[in-house]
Structures are given as structure tokens and as C-alpha cells.
Amino acid sequence: MPRHAPLILDIAPGDPRPITRQIADAIRRQVAAGELQVGDMLPSVRGLAQQLLINPNTVAKAYQELTVEGWLDARAGLGLFVAQPRQRLSQEEQQRRLDAACNRFVDEVLGLDFTPKQMLGQLADELAVLSKPRKRA
């Protein structure tokens, strides 16, 4: 029987990313960190929209993006589930996205009064969370 995973998402109105992107990014992070595990069932589109007080179409778009990318598995009549890990993007696309993310990061922190060593340390701490094994509740 699939586990109904609690989905706690913070949507920030001041975030420059669209809400659809915030939802998709948060779910990707939770899967990568092991907070959502393979086979976990996600809330329905309507359920998550009510929880976040947003339009169901916004949630549907985020879920669709994650399904196309292979993060989620839609099962007819049953719902959405965290999919088995697989190669989601080509090596070239992975590198392109890494380059773009690094450029955005540099653009964001350029004017801050931190040394490169401090910024890299903070980034390493954030990434370390993803490598820690998580226990199921």
C-alpha cells in the first residue's frame, strides 16, 4: 500500500520564481533529500491547491512538469507517486542547467560582502543535506 506523504511547501509571494516553479523545485528538493521516497503518494491537485490557497491549474502545471521530467509517476485512477530514479536529462542538458544555475548563483551573490570561501562553504552545507540518509516516519 502506498504511503501518503505529507507535503509541506512554503510558497513565497516575494520570490521571483513563478509559483509553479516554487512547487516543482520544492518537490524535487524533497525527493533528492529523501523526504519523499519512491512510491510515496502525493496530494491530489485539488488537495494541494486548497492547502496552498492557490489555483488548481498552478499545481497541475507543476505536477505535469515533474511527471514529464520523470520525478513523478501518474497512475490512472490512483494518483501521483514519486517515481523510480532514472536518468532524467541528457548529460548535455544536465551540464547546461548546471552552468545556468551557477551563473544565477554568482549573479545573486555578487554584491554581498562574503568571500568566495564563505559562499562555497554555505553552498556545501546546503548540498550536504541532500547526501544525508533520511529515515522514514
Side-chain angles (χ1 to χ4, degrees):
M1 182 173 197
R3 181 179 142 222
H4 291 268
L7 195 55
I8 308 299
L9 304 176
D10 288 325
I11 301 304
D15 192 315
R17 297 172 299 159
I19 294 173
T20 301
R21 173 52 61 93
Q22 291 182 54
I23 294 168
D25 288 349
I27 292 172
R28 282 187 204 98
R29 181 178 276 240
Q30 289 183 21
V31 171
E35 295 168 17
L36 289 172
Q37 298 181 4
V38 171
D40 283 350
M41 184 178 190
L42 274 70
S44 69
V45 167
R46 182 174 293 170
L48 186 57
Q50 288 175 343
Q51 175 187 328
L52 298 175
L53 302 174
I54 61 174
N55 189 307
N57 289 335
T58 304
V59 175
K61 287 178 188 174
Y63 278 178
Q64 178 63 28
E65 178 180 328
L66 293 166
T67 301
V68 168
E69 290 178 0
W71 291 91
L72 301 180
D73 181 27
R75 299 181 194 161
L78 297 175
L80 282 165
F81 299 84
V82 175
Q84 286 284 343
R86 62 179 172 87
Q87 182 69 31
R88 294 181 173 95
L89 302 170
S90 69
Q91 292 287 359
E92 294 80 18
E93 181 63 11
Q94 287 179 8
Q95 187 62 53
R96 187 192 70 72
R97 289 188 184 195
L98 178 61
D99 292 344
C102 288
N103 287 330
R104 282 191 309 274
F105 174 76
V106 169
D107 290 344
E108 287 286 325
V109 300
L110 197 57
L112 303 176
D113 291 328
F114 293 105
T115 66
K117 184 175 181 177
Q118 289 172 308
M119 289 185 270
L120 289 173
Q122 179 74 26
L123 183 58
D125 291 346
E126 291 292 324
L127 292 172
V129 172
L130 302 178
S131 65
K132 290 181 184 174
R134 299 277 179 154
K135 294 188 180 200
R136 277 182 95 98

